Amino acid sequence: MTTKSPRKAKAIPVFCSESEERAFWKTQDASEYFDFSRAIQPSLVNLKPSNGRHSKPAP
């Protein structure tokens, strides 16, 4: 049996704008930048069910 050696994640570049970051992530594989094996399940204890309506009226 072989085991995978942990690989070093790539460094995430610094972006000048949100649109630049969005364009970057459209072409990149996030698994090369994050170690998903160390991810944790979020606790959403204060989450309330939605009634299907927006909480704020549109201006």
Side-chain angles (χ1 to χ4, degrees):
M1 176 185 259
T2 60
T3 58
K4 284 186 173 182
S5 61
R7 64 182 172 146
K8 184 138 170 84
K10 292 181 180 179
I12 300 172
V14 176
F15 304 103
C16 296
S17 66
E18 188 174 324
S19 60
E20 182 183 340
E21 182 176 2
R22 193 178 304 114
F24 174 81
W25 288 117
K26 275 186 173 180
T27 62
Q28 299 299 313
D29 181 6
S31 66
E32 295 179 3
Y33 294 87
F34 299 99
D35 182 4
F36 290 109
S37 67
R38 296 177 48 206
I40 59 170
Q41 182 69 31
S43 175
L44 305 173
V45 295
N46 295 325
L47 188 64
K48 296 184 175 41
S50 172
N51 63 3
R53 297 182 182 179
H54 295 283
S55 59
K56 288 181 159 180

